[in-house]
């Protein structure tokens, strides 16, 4: 009789790395499908090109480095989808392939592959494009006219349009607190933004689709609420206190009424529904490899992301606030891990009496 | 009463308590038994029989010379065939007594119910009975019952959690002998002067509560006084039955790393341990048999069996109904903490609560993939450690890193490995890390000693003498 010997435990949980990655892919599907609706078939094509090239680069770089094939863990697929979802609908395909090359080969495989990259590959690649091709990375569009298959595939039916963030900044530049509150009609409505009727990166526009995916991830316990809650929470708080229409400014500008309080919360909600903050908070900042291990650390990480996003959006006048915020916090992650180490049950060794 | 879940972390492996409703079956059909002479934590016993001797059930075969050692008795009546060295289940050479059974199970005529008058009598009796912790650790019970001065426990906890998957031997013990369990508890409370006892069980065994409330009610009826024994339900989460976790769940007292339960005024005993005590007080028969769960996909008839200690595992599997497929993995103990055996001709020992016989499906060892830093191991660790950090430190032989991550505090429960999506052998890594740290500590101590000696020589206080 030949018996197998291994160390305990002899039973394992069903969750595996591929099953986690599969869950993330499933969670990204609503946003991907919506992008096809909002920006036409070119958006879907972008996701496919990006995913395929990421898988291809992963396979090739492992092959060239004579290391084992890691396609089965599906992490390259997740990177590929996220990468495309972070791009404007008019981005030339060769740039997308270039970004995939940067994400997989430079950011991920040069550092040892899955688990060893110190920044999120998709975000790093996005920043790479923002710096290399700023004009392409700041062209935002909406679909116009009747649906035509080939136009849709080529993106010929896309017309440029201002993003909600840009609209808000323009409005802010032209007047005071009261000016923004009084001219809300010049901005897209909160409901339209929530559904996703706005210009922006193809995957970031529909808050509803993203929240459906996020709920799936939370329900499957793939992510914990720590990072999204602290990220979005600290961001809302900062906008409330120090935004264009700070809460004390709104409340002191007129006699108090409940609708006035609603006005004070207009800007934080607007800011949440614009830009990539929801996509970032639920799908990018929660990337296991580049976020802290403990819940305490994750809260710190989220708050850091919130503060940086706020600072970049309000004081830096550049696109990609969420990307830069998350990548900066990625770099801080080892230090956060060190300061938020858990205390062993029963106290530390040197505290023993 | 709501179930208590107090410690942080923990995992939910499938309970697989397939055998909990099956009454234990007494197996006696063994031609020979092999009794290992080292079945407890502490120094081994000395053989006191020689080939050709006739022994009864309960005859001493291994004498305990050291105060930490516990005597070992024959579990069958028959003739000693051999006293020889065998390889223990964990791979160490160990002395063993091979006894051919005459299948009559004659009890040693010298055995009579114990007579206890003082606490010392009680402790001597416990030691002479051969009792060790039956939950799996095999710690000598007479040492546990005799804490250092000033650390007398004020509460007795009975560990009936049985949080390991598959194992139901404690549960059968409770279903079949609640009277002896309560007897055992009352004896300990009486002789050690402990005012209160709590029986803690996991809420996946709801009958336990009824069994003990019934048993305690019967005693109120008989004696007119209510015993200060409480039965408390705990949330079924592994490792609820780990000593430190159980103490915290039931009393909110934290045992610091490297300390023992008596440091926080608690005495914890396994439910099977106290049951044996109650049994022994009645008739004086030493620890020669135990209940053992046999389960796993390769077995024909899983169940609980009352078997003589020393019965060979392969005989046991045959006597219990045999296998229906070629076993791929045989585990001594539970699925979470048990030892995978590489041979099955060794005899079972006192602390052996289960033998799991896994077929090809359950025995699969998943392939390791890189850590994705998901933090699951950190979240589930009941000791609040960072297994992934320890893993990295062990693999890079970084002793300072291991100490930084408190590797020595690990209780090796296996939660981290269980939950790891990358299927890394974290627990194994931690065990290896402990070996590295111990080696480093020894090295440091030696180095310090050498330095001190050379300092002494250099300062001329103690010139090296040539006569030595």
């Amino acid at each position: 009789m030949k018996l197998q010997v291994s160390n305990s435990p002899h039973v394992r949980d069903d969750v595996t790395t591929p099953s986690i990655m599969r869950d993330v892919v499933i969670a990204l599907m609503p946003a991907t499908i919506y992008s096809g609706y909002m920006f036409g078939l070119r958006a879907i094509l972008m996701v496919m090109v990006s995913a395929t090239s990421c898988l291809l680069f992963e396979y090739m770089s492992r092959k060239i480095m004579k290391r084992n094939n890691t396609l089965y863990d599906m992490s390259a697929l997740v990177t590929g989808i996220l990468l495309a979802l972070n791009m404007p609908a008019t981005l030339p395909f060769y740039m997308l392939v270039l970004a995939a090359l940067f994400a997989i080969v430079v950011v991920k495989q040069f550092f040892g592959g899955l688990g060893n990259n110190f920044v999120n590959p998709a975000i790093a690649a996005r920043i790479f494009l923002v710096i290399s091709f700023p004009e392409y990375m700041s062209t935002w569009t909406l679909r116009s006219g009747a649906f035509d298959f080939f136009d849709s595939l080529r993106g010929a039916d896309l017309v440029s349009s201002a993003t909600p963030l840009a609209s808000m900044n323009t409005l802010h530049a032209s007047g005071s607190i009261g000016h923004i509150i009084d001219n809300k009609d010049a901005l897209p409505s909160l409901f339209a933004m929530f559904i996703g009727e706005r210009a922006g990166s193809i995957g970031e526009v529909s808050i509803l689709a993203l929240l459906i995916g996020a709920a799936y991830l939370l329900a499957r316990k793939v992510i914990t609420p720590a990072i999204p809650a602290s990220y979005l929470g600290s961001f809302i708080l900062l906008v409330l206190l120090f935004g264009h229409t700070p809460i004390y400014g709104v409340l002191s500008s007129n006699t108090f009424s409940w609708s006035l309080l609603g006005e004070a919360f207009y800007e934080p909600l607007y800011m949440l529904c614009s830009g990539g903050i929801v996509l970032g908070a639920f799908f990018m900042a929660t990337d296991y490899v580049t976020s802290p291990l403990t819940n305490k650390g994750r809260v710190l990480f989220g708050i850091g992301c919130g503060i940086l996003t706020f600072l970049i959006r309000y004081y830096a006048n550049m696109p990609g606030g969420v990307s830069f915020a998350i990548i900066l916090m990625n770099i801080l992650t080892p230090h956060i891990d060190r300061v938020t180490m858990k205390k062993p049950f029963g106290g530390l060794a040197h505290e023993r009496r | 009463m709501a179930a208590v879940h107090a410690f942080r972390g923990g995992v939910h492996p499938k309970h697989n308590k397939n055998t909990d409703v099956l009454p234990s079956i007494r197996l006696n059909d063994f031609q020979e038994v092999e009794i290992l002479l080292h079945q407890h934590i502490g120094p081994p016993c000395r053989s006191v029989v020689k080939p050709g001797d006739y022994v009864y059930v309960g005859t001493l075969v291994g004498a305990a010379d050291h105060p930490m050692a516990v005597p070992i008795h024959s579990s069958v009546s028959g003739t000693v065939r051999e006293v020889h060295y065998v390889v223990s289940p964990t791979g160490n050479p160990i002395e063993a007594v091979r006894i051919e059974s005459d299948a009559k199970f004659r009890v040693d005529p010298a055995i009579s119910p114990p007579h206890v008058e003082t606490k010392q009598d009680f402790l001597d009796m416990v030691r002479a009975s051969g009792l060790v912790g039956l939950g799996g650790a095999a710690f000598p019970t007479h040492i546990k019952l005799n804490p250092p001065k000033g650390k007398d426990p004020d509460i007795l906890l009975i560990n009936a959690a049985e949080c390991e998957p598959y194992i139901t031997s404690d549960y059968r013990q409770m279903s079949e002998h609640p009277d002896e369990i309560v007897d055992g508890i009352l004896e300990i409370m009486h002789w050690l002067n402990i005012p209160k006892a709590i029986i803690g069980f996991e809420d996946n065994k709801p009958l336990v509560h009824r069994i003990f409330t019934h048993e305690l009610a019967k005693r109120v009826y008989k004696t007119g006084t209510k015993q200060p024994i409480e039965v408390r339900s705990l949330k079924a989460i592994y490792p609820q039955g780990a000593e430190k976790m159980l103490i915290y769940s039931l009393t909110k007292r934290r045992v610091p790393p490297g300390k023992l339960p008596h440091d926080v005024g608690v005495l914890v005993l396994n439910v099977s341990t106290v049951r044996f005590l109650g049994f022994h007080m009645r008739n004086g028969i030493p620890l020669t048999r135990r209940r053992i769960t046999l389960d796993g996909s390769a077995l024909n008839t899983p169940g609980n069996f009352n078997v003589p200690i020393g019965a060979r595992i392969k005989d046991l599997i045959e006597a219990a109904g045999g296998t229906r497929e070629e076993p791929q993995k045989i585990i001594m103990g539970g699925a979470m903490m048990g030892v995978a055996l590489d041979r099955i001709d060794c005899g079972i020992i006192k602390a052996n609560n289960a033998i799991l016989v896994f077929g090809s499906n359950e025995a699969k060892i998943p392939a390791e993939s890189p850590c994705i830093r998901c933090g699951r191991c950190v979240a589930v660790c009941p000791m609040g450690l960072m297994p992934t950090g320890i893993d990295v430190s062990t693999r890079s032989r970084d002793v300072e890193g291991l100490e930084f991550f408190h590797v020595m505090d690990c209780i090796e429960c296996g939660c981290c490995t269980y939950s790891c999506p990358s299927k890394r052998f974290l627990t194994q890594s931690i065990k290896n890390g402990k070996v590295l740290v111990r080696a480093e500590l020894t090295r440091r101590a030696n180095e310090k000693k050498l330095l001190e000696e050379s300092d002494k020589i250099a300062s001329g206080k103690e010139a090296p003498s040539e006569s030595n």
Side-chain angles (χ1 to χ4, degrees):
Chain A
M1 190 186 300
K2 209 174 148 196
L3 290 175
Q4 214 172 54
V5 182
S6 73
N7 217 304
S8 62
H10 307 285
V11 285
R12 302 293 187 93
D13 200 2
D14 295 334
V15 179
T16 61
T17 306
S19 84
I20 289 171
M21 298 299 170
R22 191 190 60 221
D23 277 342
V24 178
V25 171
I26 292 172
L28 284 170
M29 279 307 114
T32 308
I33 293 165
Y34 184 84
S35 75
Y37 164 75
M38 193 59 209
F39 299 99
L41 294 175
R42 190 175 198 277
I44 303 288
L45 202 60
M46 279 172 69
V47 174
M48 283 157 79
V49 166
S50 165
T52 316
S53 38
C54 277
L55 289 168
L56 198 69
F57 288 132
E58 170 106 351
Y59 176 79
M60 278 171 21
S61 49
R62 299 295 289 195
K63 191 96 184 164
I64 290 167
M65 291 191 289
K66 295 193 173 59
R67 306 184 73 175
N68 63 325
N69 180 1
T70 48
L71 284 188
Y72 71 92
D73 68 26
M74 287 169 77
S75 61
L77 183 61
V78 171
T79 304
I81 297 176
L82 273 175
L83 188 63
L85 293 185
N86 271 295
M87 299 297 168
T90 48
L91 192 79
F93 284 113
Y94 76 88
M95 285 186 195
L96 202 55
V97 175
L98 210 58
L101 180 80
F102 187 78
I104 295 295
V105 178
V106 179
V107 181
K108 194 176 167 195
Q109 294 300 342
F110 276 9
F111 287 88
L114 178 64
N116 295 315
N117 48 298
F118 68 101
V119 292
N120 186 320
I123 292 184
R126 180 173 198 266
I127 290 176
F128 165 71
L129 286 193
V130 166
I131 294 169
S132 312
F133 310 103
E135 66 278 26
Y136 287 96
M137 288 300 288
S138 50
T139 311
W140 307 107
T141 52
L142 279 176
R143 199 157 59 86
S144 75
F147 177 80
D148 177 277
F149 184 80
F150 289 104
D151 277 359
S152 177
L153 210 54
R154 284 184 296 133
D157 54 354
L158 294 171
V159 292
S160 67
S161 160
T163 61
L165 269 183
S167 313
M168 173 64 106
N169 282 342
T170 319
L171 192 61
H172 173 66
S174 66
S176 61
I177 295 170
H179 185 69
I180 293 176
I181 299 290
D182 294 339
N183 289 291
K184 272 194 303 208
D185 296 343
L187 301 169
S189 81
L190 283 183
F191 181 74
M193 287 166 74
F194 182 73
I195 298 297
E197 299 277 333
R198 66 159 169 103
S201 300
I202 61 172
E204 74 181 24
V205 290
S206 175
I207 308 302
L208 179 66
L210 290 170
L211 287 183
I212 292 170
Y216 177 78
L217 286 186
L218 286 169
R220 296 275 296 165
K221 295 205 165 85
V222 171
I223 59 172
T224 59
I227 289 177
S230 57
Y231 187 170
L232 300 179
S234 59
F235 181 73
I236 292 174
L237 196 71
L238 285 169
V239 175
L240 264 183
L241 294 179
F242 310 113
H244 297 323
T245 60
I247 185 164
Y248 53 87
V250 175
L251 292 183
S252 60
S253 67
N254 214 322
T255 47
F256 179 80
S257 72
W258 287 111
S259 62
L260 199 63
L261 198 64
E263 309 270 289
F265 277 93
Y266 175 76
E267 192 187 346
L269 289 177
Y270 186 92
M271 278 298 166
L272 279 190
C273 292
S274 54
I277 188 166
V278 173
L279 178 65
F282 285 101
F283 293 93
M284 319 280 272
T286 53
D287 171 33
Y288 288 150
V289 178
T290 52
S291 63
L293 288 164
T294 61
N295 265 339
K296 212 203 277 173
R298 287 171 182 164
V299 169
L300 270 184
F301 178 89
I303 292 173
C305 288
I307 293 173
L308 287 172
T309 306
F310 173 80
L311 289 177
I312 296 170
R313 275 198 182 176
Y314 279 80
Y315 299 102
N317 193 25
M318 62 188 280
V322 171
S323 305
F324 279 103
I326 294 175
I327 207 164
L328 287 173
M329 292 312 290
N330 283 167
I331 294 166
L332 280 182
T333 293
H335 303 289
I336 296 177
D337 268 341
R338 204 150 256 259
V339 296
T340 56
M341 226 180 89
K342 286 214 283 189
K343 232 176 166 182
F345 179 86
L348 291 171
H350 58 80
E351 290 171 3
R352 290 172 199 171
R353 273 172 292 129
Chain B
M1 186 170 44
V4 190
H5 167 219
F7 69 93
R8 58 184 177 181
V11 293
H12 295 277
K14 287 191 190 79
H15 294 310
N16 282 327
K17 303 272 188 190
N18 313 316
T19 53
D20 57 351
V21 293
L22 306 173
S24 332
I25 298 166
R26 205 178 163 88
L27 293 181
N28 279 335
D29 193 15
F30 299 101
Q31 289 202 331
E32 60 174 27
V33 292
E34 185 155 79
I35 297 174
L36 302 183
L37 291 182
H38 189 192
Q39 305 198 12
H40 49 261
I41 295 179
C45 292
R46 172 175 52 87
S47 152
V48 292
V49 287
K50 52 186 189 304
D53 285 359
Y54 186 82
V55 291
Y56 296 96
V57 171
T59 305
L60 191 72
V61 296
D65 300 329
H66 190 274
M68 268 289 279
V70 181
I72 290 163
H73 306 85
S74 168
S75 57
V76 293
S77 58
T79 317
V80 176
R81 284 293 168 219
E82 207 176 350
V83 180
H84 61 153
Y85 273 88
V86 295
V87 181
S88 79
T90 46
N92 304 314
I94 199 167
E95 214 178 351
V97 179
R98 186 158 66 83
I99 305 169
E100 192 180 307
S101 168
D102 60 7
K104 292 187 181 122
F105 286 87
R106 276 190 288 209
V107 176
D108 198 327
I111 285 174
S112 61
H115 182 67
V116 177
E117 272 177 3
T118 61
K119 184 183 169 185
Q120 195 52 47
D121 283 357
F122 180 69
L123 294 175
D124 290 345
M125 177 212 79
V126 170
R127 185 174 180 208
S129 74
L131 183 57
V132 297
L134 298 180
F139 190 82
T141 307
H142 68 277
I143 305 284
K144 229 181 192 181
L145 293 179
N146 193 16
K149 268 212 154 39
K151 291 191 170 169
D152 291 324
D154 58 0
I155 190 159
L156 169 65
L157 302 184
I158 304 302
N159 189 348
E162 203 163 48
C163 57
E164 277 264 14
Y166 295 100
I167 307 182
T168 57
S169 58
D170 283 353
Y171 179 70
R172 289 318 306 169
Q173 200 83 259
M174 292 185 269
S175 308
E176 289 161 25
H177 305 288
D179 50 339
E180 289 172 359
I181 292 171
V182 174
D183 278 356
I185 295 173
L186 291 175
E187 289 291 344
I188 294 166
M189 289 168 80
H190 173 74
W191 293 110
L192 269 67
N193 202 14
I194 302 175
K196 191 184 171 192
I198 305 176
I199 302 172
F201 68 98
E202 279 194 342
D203 59 3
N204 59 353
K205 301 178 270 288
L207 271 178
V208 172
H209 194 263
R210 254 197 268 169
I211 289 167
F212 284 113
T213 16
H214 181 72
E215 183 60 32
L216 291 168
K218 267 202 306 205
R219 283 170 197 252
V220 174
Y221 179 72
K222 258 190 227 160
T223 62
T225 50
K226 193 172 179 304
Q227 304 297 347
I229 301 176
E230 205 183 305
V231 189
R232 212 182 284 171
S233 164
L234 302 164
K235 195 178 162 208
I237 180 168
Y238 180 86
Q240 188 67 268
E243 199 166 58
K244 288 180 180 186
M245 278 62 245
L246 187 87
I247 292 171
Y248 185 63
S249 293
L250 289 175
T251 67
K252 293 282 175 292
R253 297 179 195 179
R254 291 168 189 269
V255 183
K259 296 280 179 183
L260 292 168
H262 60 64
D263 289 309
V264 293
V266 177
L267 174 63
V268 187
L269 291 172
N270 181 270
V271 67
S272 291
T273 313
V274 288
R275 182 260 155 177
F276 172 76
L277 205 60
F279 168 84
H280 182 73
M281 298 292 283
R282 290 185 181 186
N283 53 32
I285 297 178
L287 183 59
T288 62
R289 303 184 73 89
R290 73 153 298 144
R291 253 176 197 64
I292 188 162
T293 303
L294 261 75
D295 203 345
S297 56
L299 283 182
N300 277 325
T301 50
N304 280 288
F305 300 93
N306 179 341
V307 296
I309 284 159
R312 291 178 197 272
I313 292 168
K314 62 173 182 202
D315 298 343
L316 188 58
I317 293 171
E318 275 320 303
T323 53
R324 63 178 167 203
E325 65 171 294
E326 177 90 343
Q328 299 294 316
K329 196 181 208 179
I330 296 187
I331 299 158
M332 189 178 217
M336 292 297 285
M337 287 186 78
V339 180
L341 302 175
D342 62 343
R343 79 195 83 84
I344 51 169
D345 52 356
C346 41
I348 67 147
I349 56 171
K350 291 174 182 176
N352 206 180
N353 46 10
I355 298 287
L356 302 180
V357 186
F358 281 178
S360 52
N361 208 21
E362 284 169 302
K364 252 180 219 147
I365 300 175
E368 269 190 332
S369 59
C371 170
I372 54 169
R373 289 177 39 91
C374 66
R376 280 179 174 75
C377 56
V378 180
V380 299
C381 179
M383 291 302 289
L385 306 177
M386 298 190 119
T388 172
I390 300 176
D391 185 37
V392 172
S393 304
T394 301
R395 286 174 203 238
S396 55
R397 298 283 182 278
D398 172 13
V399 176
E400 271 170 33
L402 287 168
E403 286 175 330
F404 175 80
F405 287 117
H406 312 291
V407 66
M408 300 313 273
D409 295 350
C410 172
I411 58 170
E412 300 174 11
C413 64
C415 287
C416 47
T417 314
Y418 173 83
S419 64
C420 180
S422 297
K423 310 294 161 196
R424 296 180 76 74
F425 287 95
L426 298 169
T427 318
Q428 182 172 2
S429 218
I430 293 172
K431 287 174 185 169
N432 290 343
K434 284 183 174 177
V435 175
L436 289 180
V437 171
R438 283 197 200 103
E440 173 67 13
L441 292 178
T442 317
R443 196 190 62 77
R444 271 183 217 160
N446 288 342
E447 196 176 62
K448 202 176 154 201
K449 216 165 81 185
L450 280 175
L451 274 177
E452 275 169 8
E453 273 169 20
S454 62
D455 279 357
K456 271 183 201 163
I457 294 166
S459 62
K461 276 176 195 163
E462 193 181 286
S465 63
E466 281 167 27
S467 57
N468 268 349

